[in-house]
Amino acid sequence: MPVKCCFHRSASRETMTWTESVDTLLANKDGLAAFRTFLKSEFSEENIEFWLACEDFKKTTSSAKIASKAQQIYSDFIQADAPKEINIDFTTRDQITQSISEPSLQCFDDAQRLIYSLMAKDCFPRFLKSEVYKELVNKQQNGNQKRWLPFL
């Protein structure tokens, strides 16, 4: 009868799975933190902050909170000269501006899709080539070697 292995996924293996997709990266707490650090270094952290704000917004159940959260997202990321203004096209921005007085949970969906696409096609590949990611992988690989080979 074969013996089943019970080893848990190593931290470095988990870090390597982040290369699979942006979704895998964003679903992992450490991956999200590393990606945020990278975006901050590139002065584009507003993208991940907007995406996360939208994810939180979609979970809102109270209609009173929907209006206030939508207004906060709008003033932080959408309106002209917002402190964390995201780069979206005029049509998308205009649609949100028209709907913000009576927002729905879907009012930011188009903008969120655009920002997700930007992160997936532009930021994510650069992240995987960045020193932030390479250092994290090396650090975790070295840590695993030391755990298994204490004489290193």
PDB file of all heavy atoms in Angstrom, residues 67-105:
ATOM      1  N   ALA A  67     -24.547  54.060  -0.993  1.00  0.00           N
ATOM      2  CA  ALA A  67     -24.428  55.457  -1.440  1.00  0.00           C
ATOM      3  C   ALA A  67     -23.164  56.115  -0.897  1.00  0.00           C
ATOM      4  O   ALA A  67     -22.427  56.770  -1.651  1.00  0.00           O
ATOM      5  CB  ALA A  67     -25.663  56.244  -1.033  1.00  0.00           C
ATOM      6  N   SER A  68     -22.886  55.937   0.375  1.00  0.00           N
ATOM      7  CA  SER A  68     -21.717  56.601   0.957  1.00  0.00           C
ATOM      8  C   SER A  68     -20.408  55.989   0.453  1.00  0.00           C
ATOM      9  O   SER A  68     -19.451  56.711   0.159  1.00  0.00           O
ATOM     10  CB  SER A  68     -21.771  56.594   2.486  1.00  0.00           C
ATOM     11  OG  SER A  68     -21.672  55.290   2.992  1.00  0.00           O
ATOM     12  N   LYS A  69     -20.351  54.669   0.323  1.00  0.00           N
ATOM     13  CA  LYS A  69     -19.138  54.030  -0.197  1.00  0.00           C
ATOM     14  C   LYS A  69     -18.911  54.401  -1.661  1.00  0.00           C
ATOM     15  O   LYS A  69     -17.771  54.645  -2.071  1.00  0.00           O
ATOM     16  CB  LYS A  69     -19.216  52.507  -0.058  1.00  0.00           C
ATOM     17  CG  LYS A  69     -18.919  51.992   1.326  1.00  0.00           C
ATOM     18  CD  LYS A  69     -18.904  50.469   1.307  1.00  0.00           C
ATOM     19  CE  LYS A  69     -18.456  49.904   2.635  1.00  0.00           C
ATOM     20  NZ  LYS A  69     -18.317  48.429   2.569  1.00  0.00           N
ATOM     21  N   ALA A  70     -19.994  54.445  -2.448  1.00  0.00           N
ATOM     22  CA  ALA A  70     -19.875  54.811  -3.858  1.00  0.00           C
ATOM     23  C   ALA A  70     -19.338  56.233  -3.979  1.00  0.00           C
ATOM     24  O   ALA A  70     -18.452  56.499  -4.802  1.00  0.00           O
ATOM     25  CB  ALA A  70     -21.225  54.692  -4.561  1.00  0.00           C
ATOM     26  N   GLN A  71     -19.844  57.128  -3.166  1.00  0.00           N
ATOM     27  CA  GLN A  71     -19.386  58.519  -3.200  1.00  0.00           C
ATOM     28  C   GLN A  71     -17.903  58.611  -2.812  1.00  0.00           C
ATOM     29  O   GLN A  71     -17.151  59.369  -3.405  1.00  0.00           O
ATOM     30  CB  GLN A  71     -20.240  59.389  -2.277  1.00  0.00           C
ATOM     31  CG  GLN A  71     -19.969  60.864  -2.399  1.00  0.00           C
ATOM     32  CD  GLN A  71     -20.143  61.390  -3.826  1.00  0.00           C
ATOM     33  OE1 GLN A  71     -21.174  61.183  -4.445  1.00  0.00           O
ATOM     34  NE2 GLN A  71     -19.130  62.050  -4.345  1.00  0.00           N
ATOM     35  N   GLN A  72     -17.489  57.807  -1.832  1.00  0.00           N
ATOM     36  CA  GLN A  72     -16.091  57.806  -1.405  1.00  0.00           C
ATOM     37  C   GLN A  72     -15.180  57.295  -2.521  1.00  0.00           C
ATOM     38  O   GLN A  72     -14.139  57.895  -2.805  1.00  0.00           O
ATOM     39  CB  GLN A  72     -15.923  56.939  -0.147  1.00  0.00           C
ATOM     40  CG  GLN A  72     -14.545  57.017   0.472  1.00  0.00           C
ATOM     41  CD  GLN A  72     -14.237  58.403   1.014  1.00  0.00           C
ATOM     42  OE1 GLN A  72     -15.014  58.958   1.774  1.00  0.00           O
ATOM     43  NE2 GLN A  72     -13.122  58.974   0.594  1.00  0.00           N
ATOM     44  N   ILE A  73     -15.575  56.220  -3.164  1.00  0.00           N
ATOM     45  CA  ILE A  73     -14.790  55.677  -4.275  1.00  0.00           C
ATOM     46  C   ILE A  73     -14.727  56.709  -5.405  1.00  0.00           C
ATOM     47  O   ILE A  73     -13.667  56.953  -5.982  1.00  0.00           O
ATOM     48  CB  ILE A  73     -15.376  54.334  -4.777  1.00  0.00           C
ATOM     49  CG1 ILE A  73     -15.175  53.246  -3.717  1.00  0.00           C
ATOM     50  CG2 ILE A  73     -14.746  53.919  -6.109  1.00  0.00           C
ATOM     51  CD1 ILE A  73     -15.900  51.942  -4.001  1.00  0.00           C
ATOM     52  N   TYR A  74     -15.861  57.328  -5.691  1.00  0.00           N
ATOM     53  CA  TYR A  74     -15.914  58.331  -6.744  1.00  0.00           C
ATOM     54  C   TYR A  74     -14.972  59.492  -6.438  1.00  0.00           C
ATOM     55  O   TYR A  74     -14.185  59.905  -7.292  1.00  0.00           O
ATOM     56  CB  TYR A  74     -17.353  58.838  -6.918  1.00  0.00           C
ATOM     57  CG  TYR A  74     -17.486  59.871  -7.994  1.00  0.00           C
ATOM     58  CD1 TYR A  74     -17.531  59.496  -9.337  1.00  0.00           C
ATOM     59  CD2 TYR A  74     -17.556  61.223  -7.682  1.00  0.00           C
ATOM     60  CE1 TYR A  74     -17.632  60.456 -10.341  1.00  0.00           C
ATOM     61  CE2 TYR A  74     -17.658  62.184  -8.671  1.00  0.00           C
ATOM     62  CZ  TYR A  74     -17.703  61.793  -9.997  1.00  0.00           C
ATOM     63  OH  TYR A  74     -17.800  62.742 -10.983  1.00  0.00           O
ATOM     64  N   SER A  75     -15.038  60.008  -5.225  1.00  0.00           N
ATOM     65  CA  SER A  75     -14.204  61.168  -4.884  1.00  0.00           C
ATOM     66  C   SER A  75     -12.726  60.805  -4.753  1.00  0.00           C
ATOM     67  O   SER A  75     -11.855  61.630  -5.037  1.00  0.00           O
ATOM     68  CB  SER A  75     -14.708  61.865  -3.618  1.00  0.00           C
ATOM     69  OG  SER A  75     -14.643  61.006  -2.522  1.00  0.00           O
ATOM     70  N   ASP A  76     -12.420  59.571  -4.369  1.00  0.00           N
ATOM     71  CA  ASP A  76     -11.019  59.146  -4.245  1.00  0.00           C
ATOM     72  C   ASP A  76     -10.368  58.802  -5.584  1.00  0.00           C
ATOM     73  O   ASP A  76      -9.175  59.054  -5.780  1.00  0.00           O
ATOM     74  CB  ASP A  76     -10.899  57.918  -3.331  1.00  0.00           C
ATOM     75  CG  ASP A  76     -11.066  58.239  -1.864  1.00  0.00           C
ATOM     76  OD1 ASP A  76     -11.070  59.432  -1.493  1.00  0.00           O
ATOM     77  OD2 ASP A  76     -11.185  57.278  -1.073  1.00  0.00           O
ATOM     78  N   PHE A  77     -11.146  58.184  -6.501  1.00  0.00           N
ATOM     79  CA  PHE A  77     -10.536  57.596  -7.688  1.00  0.00           C
ATOM     80  C   PHE A  77     -11.072  58.067  -9.042  1.00  0.00           C
ATOM     81  O   PHE A  77     -10.362  57.962 -10.042  1.00  0.00           O
ATOM     82  CB  PHE A  77     -10.700  56.066  -7.657  1.00  0.00           C
ATOM     83  CG  PHE A  77     -10.099  55.403  -6.463  1.00  0.00           C
ATOM     84  CD1 PHE A  77     -10.893  55.008  -5.400  1.00  0.00           C
ATOM     85  CD2 PHE A  77      -8.736  55.154  -6.395  1.00  0.00           C
ATOM     86  CE1 PHE A  77     -10.342  54.376  -4.287  1.00  0.00           C
ATOM     87  CE2 PHE A  77      -8.173  54.532  -5.295  1.00  0.00           C
ATOM     88  CZ  PHE A  77      -8.981  54.141  -4.234  1.00  0.00           C
ATOM     89  N   ILE A  78     -12.318  58.519  -9.113  1.00  0.00           N
ATOM     90  CA  ILE A  78     -12.970  58.742 -10.406  1.00  0.00           C
ATOM     91  C   ILE A  78     -13.031  60.206 -10.824  1.00  0.00           C
ATOM     92  O   ILE A  78     -12.681  60.543 -11.955  1.00  0.00           O
ATOM     93  CB  ILE A  78     -14.401  58.152 -10.416  1.00  0.00           C
ATOM     94  CG1 ILE A  78     -14.399  56.673 -10.011  1.00  0.00           C
ATOM     95  CG2 ILE A  78     -15.075  58.368 -11.767  1.00  0.00           C
ATOM     96  CD1 ILE A  78     -13.679  55.740 -10.942  1.00  0.00           C
ATOM     97  N   GLN A  79     -13.484  61.056  -9.924  1.00  0.00           N
ATOM     98  CA  GLN A  79     -13.689  62.453 -10.327  1.00  0.00           C
ATOM     99  C   GLN A  79     -12.390  63.099 -10.792  1.00  0.00           C
ATOM    100  O   GLN A  79     -11.306  62.675 -10.387  1.00  0.00           O
ATOM    101  CB  GLN A  79     -14.349  63.262  -9.218  1.00  0.00           C
ATOM    102  CG  GLN A  79     -13.446  63.632  -8.068  1.00  0.00           C
ATOM    103  CD  GLN A  79     -14.197  64.384  -6.976  1.00  0.00           C
ATOM    104  OE1 GLN A  79     -15.423  64.383  -6.918  1.00  0.00           O
ATOM    105  NE2 GLN A  79     -13.448  65.016  -6.091  1.00  0.00           N
ATOM    106  N   ALA A  80     -12.539  64.110 -11.640  1.00  0.00           N
ATOM    107  CA  ALA A  80     -11.361  64.809 -12.157  1.00  0.00           C
ATOM    108  C   ALA A  80     -10.543  65.363 -10.997  1.00  0.00           C
ATOM    109  O   ALA A  80     -11.093  65.896 -10.033  1.00  0.00           O
ATOM    110  CB  ALA A  80     -11.799  65.940 -13.080  1.00  0.00           C
ATOM    111  N   ASP A  81      -9.250  65.189 -11.073  1.00  0.00           N
ATOM    112  CA  ASP A  81      -8.306  65.643 -10.046  1.00  0.00           C
ATOM    113  C   ASP A  81      -8.505  64.960  -8.693  1.00  0.00           C
ATOM    114  O   ASP A  81      -8.159  65.522  -7.651  1.00  0.00           O
ATOM    115  CB  ASP A  81      -8.365  67.167  -9.878  1.00  0.00           C
ATOM    116  CG  ASP A  81      -7.967  67.882 -11.155  1.00  0.00           C
ATOM    117  OD1 ASP A  81      -7.039  67.390 -11.833  1.00  0.00           O
ATOM    118  OD2 ASP A  81      -8.579  68.913 -11.476  1.00  0.00           O
ATOM    119  N   ALA A  82      -9.050  63.750  -8.702  1.00  0.00           N
ATOM    120  CA  ALA A  82      -9.181  62.966  -7.469  1.00  0.00           C
ATOM    121  C   ALA A  82      -7.783  62.692  -6.930  1.00  0.00           C
ATOM    122  O   ALA A  82      -6.826  62.567  -7.704  1.00  0.00           O
ATOM    123  CB  ALA A  82      -9.914  61.653  -7.740  1.00  0.00           C
ATOM    124  N   PRO A  83      -7.631  62.566  -5.601  1.00  0.00           N
ATOM    125  CA  PRO A  83      -6.292  62.344  -5.034  1.00  0.00           C
ATOM    126  C   PRO A  83      -5.610  61.067  -5.533  1.00  0.00           C
ATOM    127  O   PRO A  83      -4.377  61.007  -5.613  1.00  0.00           O
ATOM    128  CB  PRO A  83      -6.533  62.291  -3.529  1.00  0.00           C
ATOM    129  CG  PRO A  83      -7.996  62.180  -3.336  1.00  0.00           C
ATOM    130  CD  PRO A  83      -8.664  62.653  -4.589  1.00  0.00           C
ATOM    131  N   LYS A  84      -6.401  60.049  -5.890  1.00  0.00           N
ATOM    132  CA  LYS A  84      -5.847  58.789  -6.396  1.00  0.00           C
ATOM    133  C   LYS A  84      -6.472  58.468  -7.761  1.00  0.00           C
ATOM    134  O   LYS A  84      -6.818  57.323  -8.039  1.00  0.00           O
ATOM    135  CB  LYS A  84      -6.140  57.654  -5.412  1.00  0.00           C
ATOM    136  CG  LYS A  84      -5.591  57.866  -4.023  1.00  0.00           C
ATOM    137  CD  LYS A  84      -6.055  56.761  -3.104  1.00  0.00           C
ATOM    138  CE  LYS A  84      -5.698  57.036  -1.659  1.00  0.00           C
ATOM    139  NZ  LYS A  84      -6.201  55.988  -0.776  1.00  0.00           N
ATOM    140  N   GLU A  85      -6.597  59.470  -8.580  1.00  0.00           N
ATOM    141  CA  GLU A  85      -7.311  59.325  -9.855  1.00  0.00           C
ATOM    142  C   GLU A  85      -6.733  58.187 -10.696  1.00  0.00           C
ATOM    143  O   GLU A  85      -5.533  58.108 -10.920  1.00  0.00           O
ATOM    144  CB  GLU A  85      -7.240  60.630 -10.641  1.00  0.00           C
ATOM    145  CG  GLU A  85      -8.074  60.620 -11.898  1.00  0.00           C
ATOM    146  CD  GLU A  85      -8.077  61.963 -12.619  1.00  0.00           C
ATOM    147  OE1 GLU A  85      -7.466  62.928 -12.125  1.00  0.00           O
ATOM    148  OE2 GLU A  85      -8.705  62.027 -13.686  1.00  0.00           O
ATOM    149  N   ILE A  86      -7.628  57.302 -11.142  1.00  0.00           N
ATOM    150  CA  ILE A  86      -7.231  56.182 -11.995  1.00  0.00           C
ATOM    151  C   ILE A  86      -7.338  56.605 -13.453  1.00  0.00           C
ATOM    152  O   ILE A  86      -8.070  57.534 -13.798  1.00  0.00           O
ATOM    153  CB  ILE A  86      -8.077  54.917 -11.732  1.00  0.00           C
ATOM    154  CG1 ILE A  86      -9.566  55.213 -11.879  1.00  0.00           C
ATOM    155  CG2 ILE A  86      -7.733  54.322 -10.363  1.00  0.00           C
ATOM    156  CD1 ILE A  86     -10.451  53.990 -11.857  1.00  0.00           C
ATOM    157  N   ASN A  87      -6.620  55.913 -14.294  1.00  0.00           N
ATOM    158  CA  ASN A  87      -6.587  56.238 -15.717  1.00  0.00           C
ATOM    159  C   ASN A  87      -7.631  55.409 -16.454  1.00  0.00           C
ATOM    160  O   ASN A  87      -7.388  54.254 -16.791  1.00  0.00           O
ATOM    161  CB  ASN A  87      -5.183  55.963 -16.263  1.00  0.00           C
ATOM    162  CG  ASN A  87      -5.017  56.429 -17.681  1.00  0.00           C
ATOM    163  OD1 ASN A  87      -5.873  57.106 -18.238  1.00  0.00           O
ATOM    164  ND2 ASN A  87      -3.898  56.056 -18.277  1.00  0.00           N
ATOM    165  N   ILE A  88      -8.803  56.007 -16.663  1.00  0.00           N
ATOM    166  CA  ILE A  88      -9.871  55.341 -17.416  1.00  0.00           C
ATOM    167  C   ILE A  88     -10.342  56.281 -18.522  1.00  0.00           C
ATOM    168  O   ILE A  88     -10.120  57.490 -18.456  1.00  0.00           O
ATOM    169  CB  ILE A  88     -11.061  54.916 -16.517  1.00  0.00           C
ATOM    170  CG1 ILE A  88     -11.614  56.109 -15.733  1.00  0.00           C
ATOM    171  CG2 ILE A  88     -10.657  53.777 -15.592  1.00  0.00           C
ATOM    172  CD1 ILE A  88     -12.875  55.808 -14.936  1.00  0.00           C
ATOM    173  N   ASP A  89     -11.008  55.718 -19.519  1.00  0.00           N
ATOM    174  CA  ASP A  89     -11.461  56.521 -20.651  1.00  0.00           C
ATOM    175  C   ASP A  89     -12.629  57.438 -20.260  1.00  0.00           C
ATOM    176  O   ASP A  89     -13.300  57.218 -19.247  1.00  0.00           O
ATOM    177  CB  ASP A  89     -11.865  55.613 -21.818  1.00  0.00           C
ATOM    178  CG  ASP A  89     -12.996  54.683 -21.438  1.00  0.00           C
ATOM    179  OD1 ASP A  89     -12.704  53.583 -20.914  1.00  0.00           O
ATOM    180  OD2 ASP A  89     -14.165  55.055 -21.639  1.00  0.00           O
ATOM    181  N   PHE A  90     -12.855  58.451 -21.091  1.00  0.00           N
ATOM    182  CA  PHE A  90     -13.879  59.450 -20.826  1.00  0.00           C
ATOM    183  C   PHE A  90     -15.270  58.821 -20.702  1.00  0.00           C
ATOM    184  O   PHE A  90     -16.047  59.175 -19.817  1.00  0.00           O
ATOM    185  CB  PHE A  90     -13.890  60.528 -21.926  1.00  0.00           C
ATOM    186  CG  PHE A  90     -15.055  61.464 -21.803  1.00  0.00           C
ATOM    187  CD1 PHE A  90     -15.029  62.511 -20.878  1.00  0.00           C
ATOM    188  CD2 PHE A  90     -16.195  61.289 -22.582  1.00  0.00           C
ATOM    189  CE1 PHE A  90     -16.116  63.364 -20.748  1.00  0.00           C
ATOM    190  CE2 PHE A  90     -17.287  62.136 -22.454  1.00  0.00           C
ATOM    191  CZ  PHE A  90     -17.243  63.187 -21.536  1.00  0.00           C
ATOM    192  N   THR A  91     -15.606  57.894 -21.592  1.00  0.00           N
ATOM    193  CA  THR A  91     -16.937  57.286 -21.607  1.00  0.00           C
ATOM    194  C   THR A  91     -17.219  56.567 -20.293  1.00  0.00           C
ATOM    195  O   THR A  91     -18.298  56.731 -19.711  1.00  0.00           O
ATOM    196  CB  THR A  91     -17.071  56.296 -22.786  1.00  0.00           C
ATOM    197  OG1 THR A  91     -16.756  56.993 -23.991  1.00  0.00           O
ATOM    198  CG2 THR A  91     -18.465  55.720 -22.881  1.00  0.00           C
ATOM    199  N   THR A  92     -16.273  55.794 -19.813  1.00  0.00           N
ATOM    200  CA  THR A  92     -16.451  55.061 -18.552  1.00  0.00           C
ATOM    201  C   THR A  92     -16.587  56.033 -17.385  1.00  0.00           C
ATOM    202  O   THR A  92     -17.482  55.887 -16.549  1.00  0.00           O
ATOM    203  CB  THR A  92     -15.269  54.097 -18.315  1.00  0.00           C
ATOM    204  OG1 THR A  92     -15.144  53.232 -19.440  1.00  0.00           O
ATOM    205  CG2 THR A  92     -15.468  53.272 -17.055  1.00  0.00           C
ATOM    206  N   ARG A  93     -15.725  57.036 -17.368  1.00  0.00           N
ATOM    207  CA  ARG A  93     -15.779  58.048 -16.304  1.00  0.00           C
ATOM    208  C   ARG A  93     -17.131  58.774 -16.334  1.00  0.00           C
ATOM    209  O   ARG A  93     -17.754  59.001 -15.298  1.00  0.00           O
ATOM    210  CB  ARG A  93     -14.633  59.045 -16.460  1.00  0.00           C
ATOM    211  CG  ARG A  93     -14.500  60.024 -15.309  1.00  0.00           C
ATOM    212  CD  ARG A  93     -13.311  60.969 -15.473  1.00  0.00           C
ATOM    213  NE  ARG A  93     -12.066  60.310 -15.817  1.00  0.00           N
ATOM    214  CZ  ARG A  93     -11.239  59.738 -14.948  1.00  0.00           C
ATOM    215  NH1 ARG A  93     -11.527  59.767 -13.661  1.00  0.00           N
ATOM    216  NH2 ARG A  93     -10.136  59.149 -15.342  1.00  0.00           N
ATOM    217  N   ASP A  94     -17.594  59.117 -17.519  1.00  0.00           N
ATOM    218  CA  ASP A  94     -18.856  59.831 -17.671  1.00  0.00           C
ATOM    219  C   ASP A  94     -20.043  58.970 -17.215  1.00  0.00           C
ATOM    220  O   ASP A  94     -20.958  59.473 -16.559  1.00  0.00           O
ATOM    221  CB  ASP A  94     -19.020  60.267 -19.127  1.00  0.00           C
ATOM    222  CG  ASP A  94     -20.131  61.278 -19.291  1.00  0.00           C
ATOM    223  OD1 ASP A  94     -20.160  62.262 -18.506  1.00  0.00           O
ATOM    224  OD2 ASP A  94     -20.974  61.089 -20.192  1.00  0.00           O
ATOM    225  N   GLN A  95     -20.030  57.687 -17.560  1.00  0.00           N
ATOM    226  CA  GLN A  95     -21.106  56.778 -17.132  1.00  0.00           C
ATOM    227  C   GLN A  95     -21.178  56.712 -15.604  1.00  0.00           C
ATOM    228  O   GLN A  95     -22.271  56.735 -15.023  1.00  0.00           O
ATOM    229  CB  GLN A  95     -20.892  55.365 -17.692  1.00  0.00           C
ATOM    230  CG  GLN A  95     -21.179  55.254 -19.160  1.00  0.00           C
ATOM    231  CD  GLN A  95     -20.794  53.882 -19.714  1.00  0.00           C
ATOM    232  OE1 GLN A  95     -19.996  53.166 -19.120  1.00  0.00           O
ATOM    233  NE2 GLN A  95     -21.355  53.541 -20.853  1.00  0.00           N
ATOM    234  N   ILE A  96     -20.034  56.643 -14.960  1.00  0.00           N
ATOM    235  CA  ILE A  96     -20.012  56.601 -13.493  1.00  0.00           C
ATOM    236  C   ILE A  96     -20.517  57.926 -12.929  1.00  0.00           C
ATOM    237  O   ILE A  96     -21.327  57.935 -11.996  1.00  0.00           O
ATOM    238  CB  ILE A  96     -18.597  56.275 -12.971  1.00  0.00           C
ATOM    239  CG1 ILE A  96     -18.197  54.862 -13.388  1.00  0.00           C
ATOM    240  CG2 ILE A  96     -18.535  56.425 -11.449  1.00  0.00           C
ATOM    241  CD1 ILE A  96     -16.732  54.525 -13.150  1.00  0.00           C
ATOM    242  N   THR A  97     -20.075  59.015 -13.498  1.00  0.00           N
ATOM    243  CA  THR A  97     -20.507  60.338 -13.035  1.00  0.00           C
ATOM    244  C   THR A  97     -22.019  60.479 -13.146  1.00  0.00           C
ATOM    245  O   THR A  97     -22.664  61.028 -12.239  1.00  0.00           O
ATOM    246  CB  THR A  97     -19.798  61.447 -13.851  1.00  0.00           C
ATOM    247  OG1 THR A  97     -18.382  61.282 -13.690  1.00  0.00           O
ATOM    248  CG2 THR A  97     -20.194  62.828 -13.383  1.00  0.00           C
ATOM    249  N   GLN A  98     -22.598  59.953 -14.232  1.00  0.00           N
ATOM    250  CA  GLN A  98     -24.056  60.015 -14.425  1.00  0.00           C
ATOM    251  C   GLN A  98     -24.808  59.156 -13.408  1.00  0.00           C
ATOM    252  O   GLN A  98     -25.903  59.513 -12.992  1.00  0.00           O
ATOM    253  CB  GLN A  98     -24.429  59.559 -15.842  1.00  0.00           C
ATOM    254  CG  GLN A  98     -23.819  60.371 -16.956  1.00  0.00           C
ATOM    255  CD  GLN A  98     -24.282  61.815 -16.956  1.00  0.00           C
ATOM    256  OE1 GLN A  98     -25.439  62.105 -16.698  1.00  0.00           O
ATOM    257  NE2 GLN A  98     -23.362  62.719 -17.228  1.00  0.00           N
ATOM    258  N   SER A  99     -24.219  58.040 -13.004  1.00  0.00           N
ATOM    259  CA  SER A  99     -24.927  57.099 -12.125  1.00  0.00           C
ATOM    260  C   SER A  99     -24.640  57.288 -10.640  1.00  0.00           C
ATOM    261  O   SER A  99     -25.275  56.646  -9.807  1.00  0.00           O
ATOM    262  CB  SER A  99     -24.592  55.662 -12.522  1.00  0.00           C
ATOM    263  OG  SER A  99     -23.249  55.365 -12.203  1.00  0.00           O
ATOM    264  N   ILE A 100     -23.699  58.150 -10.288  1.00  0.00           N
ATOM    265  CA  ILE A 100     -23.257  58.237  -8.890  1.00  0.00           C
ATOM    266  C   ILE A 100     -24.349  58.781  -7.968  1.00  0.00           C
ATOM    267  O   ILE A 100     -24.350  58.491  -6.769  1.00  0.00           O
ATOM    268  CB  ILE A 100     -21.940  59.056  -8.764  1.00  0.00           C
ATOM    269  CG1 ILE A 100     -21.239  58.743  -7.441  1.00  0.00           C
ATOM    270  CG2 ILE A 100     -22.186  60.531  -8.918  1.00  0.00           C
ATOM    271  CD1 ILE A 100     -20.742  57.337  -7.314  1.00  0.00           C
ATOM    272  N   SER A 101     -25.300  59.533  -8.489  1.00  0.00           N
ATOM    273  CA  SER A 101     -26.372  60.065  -7.638  1.00  0.00           C
ATOM    274  C   SER A 101     -27.298  58.952  -7.151  1.00  0.00           C
ATOM    275  O   SER A 101     -27.900  59.064  -6.084  1.00  0.00           O
ATOM    276  CB  SER A 101     -27.162  61.149  -8.364  1.00  0.00           C
ATOM    277  OG  SER A 101     -27.723  60.621  -9.546  1.00  0.00           O
ATOM    278  N   GLU A 102     -27.420  57.885  -7.929  1.00  0.00           N
ATOM    279  CA  GLU A 102     -28.195  56.709  -7.523  1.00  0.00           C
ATOM    280  C   GLU A 102     -27.378  55.461  -7.857  1.00  0.00           C
ATOM    281  O   GLU A 102     -27.696  54.728  -8.787  1.00  0.00           O
ATOM    282  CB  GLU A 102     -29.542  56.675  -8.246  1.00  0.00           C
ATOM    283  CG  GLU A 102     -30.472  57.799  -7.831  1.00  0.00           C
ATOM    284  CD  GLU A 102     -31.799  57.728  -8.550  1.00  0.00           C
ATOM    285  OE1 GLU A 102     -32.252  56.595  -8.844  1.00  0.00           O
ATOM    286  OE2 GLU A 102     -32.379  58.788  -8.805  1.00  0.00           O
ATOM    287  N   PRO A 103     -26.332  55.219  -7.074  1.00  0.00           N
ATOM    288  CA  PRO A 103     -25.399  54.135  -7.425  1.00  0.00           C
ATOM    289  C   PRO A 103     -25.970  52.735  -7.185  1.00  0.00           C
ATOM    290  O   PRO A 103     -26.797  52.528  -6.297  1.00  0.00           O
ATOM    291  CB  PRO A 103     -24.218  54.390  -6.496  1.00  0.00           C
ATOM    292  CG  PRO A 103     -24.814  55.067  -5.306  1.00  0.00           C
ATOM    293  CD  PRO A 103     -25.949  55.897  -5.844  1.00  0.00           C
ATOM    294  N   SER A 104     -25.507  51.817  -8.011  1.00  0.00           N
ATOM    295  CA  SER A 104     -25.814  50.399  -7.804  1.00  0.00           C
ATOM    296  C   SER A 104     -24.499  49.703  -7.478  1.00  0.00           C
ATOM    297  O   SER A 104     -23.425  50.290  -7.631  1.00  0.00           O
ATOM    298  CB  SER A 104     -26.419  49.799  -9.070  1.00  0.00           C
ATOM    299  OG  SER A 104     -25.427  49.703 -10.074  1.00  0.00           O
ATOM    300  N   LEU A 105     -24.583  48.446  -7.077  1.00  0.00           N
ATOM    301  CA  LEU A 105     -23.366  47.691  -6.778  1.00  0.00           C
ATOM    302  C   LEU A 105     -22.531  47.434  -8.032  1.00  0.00           C
ATOM    303  O   LEU A 105     -21.372  47.051  -7.941  1.00  0.00           O
ATOM    304  CB  LEU A 105     -23.704  46.368  -6.085  1.00  0.00           C
ATOM    305  CG  LEU A 105     -24.223  46.474  -4.655  1.00  0.00           C
ATOM    306  CD1 LEU A 105     -24.590  45.098  -4.108  1.00  0.00           C
ATOM    307  CD2 LEU A 105     -23.194  47.136  -3.747  1.00  0.00           C
TER     308      LEU A 105
END
